[in-house]
Amino acid sequence: MGIIDFNADKKLDFAAIGRLCIDLNANEINRPMEETLTFTKYVGGSPANICIGMSRLGLATGFIGKVANDQMGRFIAQYLAKEGIDSSSVSIDRTGATTGLAFTEIKSPTDCSILMYRDNAADLLLTPDEVSEALVADAKMLLISGTALAASPSREAVFLALDYAKRHGAVIAFDLDYRPYTWRSEQETAVYYNLAAEKCDIILGTREEFDMMERFERNPDRDDRVTASKWFAYSAQLVVIKHGKEGSVAYTKDGAAHTARSFPAKVVKTFGAGDSYAAGFLYGLLQGWEVERCMEFGSAAACIVISSHSCSDAMPTTGAVHDYIERCNRGEITANS
């Protein structure tokens, strides 16, 4: 039995709610965006990437979201169908909203940035009555993402999904996914992030994202244990705090702090690491693995994605992740060699 218990009778392993958008990744790398002329189009958005990652790992998945009534929206819907994701709860906007675009800049393997166009984005217009209670009830795990809390009616839709998940015994994971440009103020952000996190069993985020959530609290030393212990007083069973190159620490309710080894990678770009890590880590939890093994699997999945030009297209299969770990064990992969 793993650290978290899942209802084995449910037909869906995993469902996610939130952002569906388009990634336009620079083809000309090692140069600024001002000098970049061509981009390759992929499906993007953190919850979408994680759901795609889970599907690639062989799980039964579903998505709740909204796309624009345009070519980009249809591209996303077709991609989800191709990946075997239940998209019956992906609604189509009829108000003229557009699909969010994320242009990426790859100046170097470690100097990457994202330029987002999110005005009147269709994904933030998901309404509560478009959230399928049946799909949430069928899922062992529901993942929510912080960006979906940034505006109404998407915010209310997420809180309704949380209520459905509680009602039907789905384990809830929260990918903090803080994008400051989608929010009106840090105060608003902190309030709604905290209200959502109180209902979640698993919380994953960077140290900086947790700092944002603690702007009204006393944690001047940015102490991870102080951060984790707060959430154990609510619903959380597991809190993962990411520290970039220094790795991640997973805290469990019994007071233990778990770490795992990292792997070398031939890095092309840095974005996509968090989404692939989350997919691998949550997959391991659903398999009933020990926390360290889940973290190791997530780290290897992340290495595969940051070694590729894309995020969604690069999400690996279980076989690919196990092979990557074995190749690292044999010393066949070294960092940017």
Side-chain angles (χ1 to χ4, degrees):
M1 183 178 296
I3 189 71
I4 293 177
D5 295 330
F6 297 92
N7 186 336
D9 296 329
K10 298 195 174 192
K11 68 178 184 180
L12 271 184
D13 296 302
F14 179 85
I17 183 170
R19 183 161 49 106
L20 293 160
C21 69
I22 297 293
D23 285 348
L24 292 162
N25 289 2
N27 291 330
E28 294 102 49
I29 63 175
N30 302 319
R31 66 178 64 180
M33 195 177 296
E34 293 88 339
E35 300 174 13
T36 303
L37 300 179
T38 64
F39 301 81
T40 299
K41 179 177 69 174
Y42 304 104
V43 170
S46 291
N49 285 338
I50 295 169
C51 194
I52 292 163
M54 295 293 249
S55 186
R56 292 272 179 89
L57 293 169
L59 299 186
T61 61
F63 202 92
I64 302 167
K66 197 165 209 174
V67 296
N69 185 27
D70 61 16
Q71 296 92 328
M72 295 299 189
R74 289 189 286 277
F75 172 76
I76 292 170
Q78 291 167 8
Y79 190 94
L80 295 180
K82 178 175 69 73
E83 292 295 324
I85 296 167
D86 181 345
S87 56
S88 59
S89 294
V90 175
S91 306
I92 300 173
D93 174 76
R94 305 291 180 183
T95 69
T98 56
T99 302
L101 302 177
F103 289 86
T104 66
E105 175 182 61
I106 309 173
K107 289 183 179 179
S108 75
T110 56
D111 186 5
C112 302
S113 65
I114 299 174
L115 175 63
M116 278 205 174
Y117 289 81
R118 297 273 299 155
D119 293 338
N120 195 29
D123 59 89
L124 287 174
L125 297 180
L126 180 71
T127 63
D129 60 4
E130 292 169 324
V131 176
S132 168
E133 181 174 3
L135 188 139
V136 176
D138 281 342
K140 296 173 186 174
M141 179 189 294
L142 173 72
L143 177 118
I144 69 166
S145 174
T147 303
L149 297 170
S152 297
S154 173
R155 176 184 294 162
E156 290 79 10
V158 171
F159 276 101
L160 181 60
L162 289 171
D163 182 64
Y164 288 157
K166 287 289 190 185
R167 188 180 307 174
H168 295 287
V171 171
I172 305 169
F174 186 4
D175 171 38
L176 298 187
D177 186 32
Y178 174 48
R179 309 286 177 169
Y181 38 78
T182 62
W183 291 84
R184 289 177 292 186
S185 71
E186 291 184 4
Q187 293 88 343
E188 178 193 48
T189 310
V191 167
Y192 285 104
Y193 264 74
N194 278 276
L195 286 172
E198 290 175 5
K199 302 175 182 295
C200 299
D201 305 289
I202 305 161
I203 307 173
L204 305 98
T206 66
R207 180 64 255 177
E208 291 73 22
E209 287 172 327
F210 282 105
D211 290 343
M212 175 276 298
M213 294 172 68
E214 293 175 348
R215 63 174 290 110
F216 299 122
E217 299 166 40
R218 297 178 60 86
N219 188 7
D221 297 325
R222 306 170 72 216
D223 187 319
D224 285 356
R225 285 194 177 276
V226 171
T227 296
S229 64
K230 170 185 175 174
W231 300 114
F232 295 141
Y234 292 96
S235 298
Q237 302 293 315
L238 189 58
V239 177
V240 180
I241 304 178
K242 296 180 282 187
H243 290 272
K245 292 180 181 179
E246 297 174 16
S248 303
V249 185
Y251 294 89
T252 47
K253 203 167 185 177
D254 60 6
H258 303 266
T259 59
R261 64 172 173 155
S262 57
F263 298 95
K266 298 177 182 178
V267 181
V268 173
K269 42 74 171 143
T270 54
F271 44 84
D275 299 340
S276 46
Y277 177 89
F281 180 80
L282 296 174
Y283 170 83
L285 290 179
L286 281 158
Q287 306 311 303
W289 295 349
E290 294 297 323
V291 175
E292 288 84 358
R293 186 181 178 191
C294 297
M295 298 174 76
E296 184 176 289
F297 194 85
S299 295
C303 286
I304 293 172
V305 169
I306 62 175
S307 301
S308 169
H309 186 257
S310 72
C311 295
S312 54
D313 278 11
M315 290 290 172
T317 63
T318 52
V321 179
H322 288 305
D323 179 66
Y324 193 91
I325 293 171
E326 286 303 313
R327 290 176 64 202
C328 288
N329 290 341
R330 294 194 297 266
E332 295 176 7
I333 299 175
T334 57
N336 277 36
S337 61

